[in-house]
């Protein structure tokens, strides 16, 4: 055991423990809203026990516990007992996921008993033989040749390993069968995390078996590889357990931001032609990602675009609109379902040009404005995104818009 390893693992264990506790807090809010959910409560418990275990097994905390209690390696027993409790909670969680609530609660005593028995056996074996000197990093290999300490390590590793195998056995096939994407990916990450933590078990076993065979250079598997695999697996599990919540929220937020970016050219052009429609002056869409009320901001953009359509529509009469339709058909751009959105974009582009040129609204007959009005906001948004894309294309091609002076409606008085 070297001083650099103590510093490194003190930092990594404390950081991982805090992440596990943050995961616990994140899921605890959901559990408070559904306190009868056995699987959700068990998920919170496994994150809580894992977080405490990492904090206790951090070398700096480990040594402090030994000095305070007078038992140099007490941190090992406390940390490993918490890990077994986390394994128990994980078993209950998986049972709650894949059994009915009534069946899961009926199985609870049978699930709980082996883990509590393992903690009892570990405690008896731990105190059966003196274990001098603090060994926060190499406890398993240093005491591997002592019969009771070696038995203690094997009870811990077997108990934890069987739990990981049980978790992977249930989550792996389910991740491929579940139709909900975020839940499927959550189960897949849970499986991957279980395999990573399985590397922790394997590393410890290699080191212990090596000592039993009189080989010391296998110690590195236990001292270095094992904790790194355990930390990696714990972080993957933390991501997997929380993915359905933050993953869906992040995906929705990115979708809202992409919609803001898609609508920005059209929104900015309409606000430039009719400044009165904008509550706030349009700024770069990249700044919208920092807004907490992004959904409200997106609603505002859609409303202001609709206001701009109604305000600018009188600048293009029905005769001009029909001329635009013919021009778009001759250009070959209109194909089947895109006719309405291209015409909508062209009408807006021509209206913006006329408004900026100082012309008055037409007194001639005009259409109602938009050629599409979705009953749901999602439909409305999808339509306007397509119109905004078509607007960028139409407004930058002078061949697709008739001359400003081509129709007598341009001089009509405002009504």
């Amino acid at each position: 055991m070297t001083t650099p390893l103590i510093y490194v693992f003190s930092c990594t264990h404390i950081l991982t423990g805090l992440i596990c506790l943050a995961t616990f807090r994140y899921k605890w809010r959901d559990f408070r809203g559904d306190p009868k959910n056995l699987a959700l409560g068990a998920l919170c418990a496994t994150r809580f026990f894992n977080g405490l275990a990492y904090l206790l097994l951090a070398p700096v905390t480990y040594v402090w516990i030994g000095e305070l209690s007078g038992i140099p390696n007490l941190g090992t027993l406390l940390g490993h007992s918490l890990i077994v409790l986390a394994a128990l909670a994980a078993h209950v969680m998986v049972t709650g996921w894949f059994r009915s609530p009534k069946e899961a609660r009926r199985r609870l005593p049978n699930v709980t008993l082996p883990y509590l028995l393992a903690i009892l056996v570990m405690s008896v074996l731990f105190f059966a033989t003196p274990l001098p000197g603090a060994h926060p990093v190499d406890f398993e290999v240093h005491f591997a040749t002592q019969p009771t300490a070696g038995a203690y390590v094997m009870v811990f590793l077997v108990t934890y390993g069987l739990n990981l195998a049980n978790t992977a056995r249930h989550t792996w096939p389910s991740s491929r069968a579940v139709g909900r994407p975020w839940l499927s990916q959550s189960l897949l990450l849970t499986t991957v995390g279980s395999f990573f933590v399985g590397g922790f078990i394997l590393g410890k076993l290699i080191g212990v078996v090596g000592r039993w065979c009189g080989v010391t250079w296998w110690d590195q598997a236990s001292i270095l590889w094992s904790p790194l695999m355990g930390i990696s697996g714990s972080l993957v599990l933390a991501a997997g357990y929380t993915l359905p919540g933050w993953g869906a929220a992040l995906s929705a937020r990115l979708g809202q931001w992409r919609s803001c970016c898609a609508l920005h050219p059209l929104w900015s052009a309409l606000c430039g032609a009719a400044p009165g429609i904008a509550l706030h002056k349009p700024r770069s869409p990249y700044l919208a990602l920092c807004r907490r009320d992004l959904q409200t901001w997106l609603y505002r953009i859609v409303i202001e675009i609709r206001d701009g359509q109604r305000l600018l529509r009188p600048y293009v009469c029905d005769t001009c609109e029909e001329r635009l339709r013919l021009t778009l058909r001759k250009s070959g751009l209109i194909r089947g379902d895109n006719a309405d959105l291209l015409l909508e974009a062209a009408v807006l582009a021509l209206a913006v040009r006329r408004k900026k040129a100082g012309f008055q609204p037409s007194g001639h007959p005009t259409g109602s404005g938009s050629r599409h009005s979705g009953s749901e906001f999602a439909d409305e948004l999808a339509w306007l995104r397509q119109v905004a894309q078509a607007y960028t294309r139409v407004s930058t091609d002078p061949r697709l818009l008739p001359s400003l002076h081509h129709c007598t409606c341009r001089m009509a008085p405002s009504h």
Side-chain angles (χ1 to χ4, degrees):
M1 182 180 65
T2 62
T3 301
L5 278 183
I6 291 179
Y7 290 147
V8 170
F9 286 133
S10 291
C11 294
T12 56
H13 280 56
I14 290 175
L15 179 60
T16 306
L18 293 176
I19 291 174
C20 290
L21 292 177
T23 306
F24 157 74
R25 182 181 179 185
Y26 179 83
K27 298 304 295 183
W28 179 255
R29 293 179 299 178
D30 296 335
F31 180 65
R32 290 180 63 183
D34 187 11
K36 294 183 179 181
N37 191 324
L38 179 64
L40 187 55
L43 193 160
C44 292
T46 189
R47 293 296 85 201
F48 178 73
F49 290 135
N50 260 324
L52 288 183
Y54 271 107
L55 293 180
L56 292 182
L57 290 172
V60 62
T61 311
Y62 186 105
V63 172
W64 178 79
I65 292 174
E67 293 175 349
L68 187 65
S69 65
I71 305 174
N73 295 290
L74 182 61
T76 293
L77 177 62
L78 296 177
H80 288 176
S81 297
L82 286 169
I83 290 175
V84 173
L85 289 176
L88 165 60
H91 198 144
V92 174
M93 175 190 69
V94 171
T95 304
W97 280 350
F98 298 101
R99 303 283 180 178
S100 66
K102 183 178 180 180
E103 176 67 11
R105 294 184 185 280
R106 188 183 68 81
R107 288 172 173 260
L108 198 55
N110 293 334
V111 170
T112 304
L113 184 60
Y115 292 93
L116 297 182
L117 182 60
I119 293 176
L120 177 61
V121 172
M122 287 165 53
S123 300
V124 171
L125 292 172
F126 181 86
F127 288 109
T129 305
L131 303 172
H135 293 273
V137 176
D138 62 345
F139 176 90
E140 292 81 5
V141 292
H142 184 83
F143 296 110
T145 55
Q146 293 191 19
T148 54
Y152 163 89
V153 172
M154 294 307 297
V155 170
F156 167 66
L157 294 180
V158 169
T159 303
Y160 196 20
L162 289 176
N163 172 261
L164 293 171
N166 177 69
T167 301
R169 179 174 67 90
H170 284 87
T171 55
W172 167 245
S174 300
S175 69
R176 307 174 67 182
V178 171
R180 295 163 56 188
W182 288 112
L183 180 57
S184 175
Q185 293 175 29
S186 173
L187 292 171
L188 179 59
L189 284 177
T190 302
T191 304
V192 173
S194 297
F195 277 110
F196 267 96
V197 180
F200 166 85
I201 304 293
L202 181 61
K204 295 295 183 184
L205 285 174
I206 290 173
V208 170
V209 172
R211 282 298 183 102
W212 288 352
C213 298
V215 179
T216 58
W217 59 271
W218 287 4
D219 290 1
Q220 297 305 311
S222 175
I223 295 173
L224 289 177
W225 179 28
S226 183
L228 291 177
M229 292 295 288
I231 290 170
S232 300
S234 294
L235 296 179
V236 173
L237 286 172
Y241 289 150
T242 57
L243 182 63
W246 63 261
L250 179 61
S251 178
R253 186 168 180 82
L254 289 176
Q256 294 163 3
W257 177 69
R258 284 193 293 266
S259 294
C260 289
C261 291
L263 295 178
H264 188 269
L266 175 60
W267 177 51
S268 180
L270 295 180
C271 290
I277 65 173
L279 183 63
H280 302 287
K281 183 179 179 181
R283 297 188 297 171
S284 169
Y286 297 101
L287 298 176
L289 192 59
C290 302
R291 299 184 65 94
R292 296 184 62 182
D293 57 339
L294 188 55
Q295 179 67 18
T296 303
W297 184 254
L298 185 57
Y299 272 112
R300 187 70 233 174
I301 291 176
V302 170
I303 291 171
E304 290 176 1
I305 288 176
R306 285 307 195 194
D307 289 344
Q309 287 176 307
R310 286 189 289 271
L311 184 63
L312 295 175
R313 185 62 183 84
Y315 286 83
V316 179
C317 69
D318 286 349
T319 303
C320 291
E321 182 177 325
E322 187 60 30
R323 188 176 294 112
L324 284 172
R325 189 190 304 274
L326 293 174
T327 301
L328 291 171
R329 282 178 179 171
K330 290 178 181 179
S331 69
L333 293 176
I334 290 184
R335 301 184 190 90
D337 295 339
N338 70 347
D340 285 345
L341 71 91
L342 280 172
L343 185 58
E344 180 80 18
V347 167
L348 289 174
L350 182 58
V352 167
R353 287 180 60 187
R354 288 183 169 177
K355 176 68 164 57
K356 287 185 175 181
F359 293 108
Q360 295 297 316
S362 171
H364 292 253
T366 59
S368 60
S370 174
R371 282 143 201 84
H372 175 91
S373 180
S375 58
E376 300 292 338
F377 179 76
D379 298 330
E380 183 93 350
L381 182 60
W383 164 258
L384 288 179
R385 287 187 61 164
Q386 295 180 75
V387 171
Q389 183 179 10
Y391 178 87
T392 301
R393 183 173 185 179
V394 170
S395 62
T396 55
D397 191 342
R399 298 172 300 171
L400 301 179
L401 298 179
S403 168
L404 291 174
H405 305 279
H406 200 65
C407 183
T408 56
C409 73
R410 64 180 178 80
M411 296 302 294
S414 177
H415 288 272

